[in-house]
Amino acid sequence: MTRTASRIDVRTVAPRDRHPLIFSTFGALAAGEALELVNDHDPRPLYYQFNAQMPGQFAWDYLEAGPDTWRVAITRTQAGTAPDASGSCCGGGCGG
């Protein structure tokens, strides 16, 4: 059973700080735990970054899909190491 261990509302976080916060929070999760991400846009670029850096270590489930609020449960499916804490996929150009 998945347990939501953390909730991050990045709408109030500076864009440059979003991915590092998300990846450091995810890195602290145990297998079977999830973080709930709240955003003002579809965080699809973040999904691609997770998939590139941690394939097979997470599940991505939309809980709410806009148009104003997006909520995603990102569950650690197996133990592993989180990517570099900078978590930058594009230097912040995507807004986090």
Side-chain angles (χ1 to χ4, degrees), residues 1-91:
M1 173 175 243
T2 300
R3 181 178 82 80
T4 301
S6 186
R7 183 174 193 262
I8 302 173
D9 186 340
V10 296
R11 296 175 294 184
T12 60
V13 176
R16 72 179 177 279
D17 297 329
R18 292 176 181 181
H19 285 201
L21 174 62
I22 293 163
F23 280 101
S24 66
T25 303
F26 182 83
L29 298 177
E33 291 183 329
L35 72 86
E36 180 182 330
L37 174 67
V38 181
N39 206 347
D40 59 2
H41 65 275
D42 186 354
R44 180 63 57 177
L46 181 65
Y47 168 82
Y48 294 127
Q49 186 178 359
F50 264 88
N51 200 44
Q53 296 182 8
M54 293 177 289
Q57 295 181 41
F58 73 99
W60 182 277
D61 298 294
Y62 284 97
L63 305 173
E64 186 175 347
D68 298 319
T69 302
W70 297 79
R71 292 173 39 241
V72 178
I74 308 170
T75 305
R76 179 177 283 283
T77 56
Q78 61 180 273
T81 57
D84 176 333
S86 71
S88 180
C89 63
C90 61

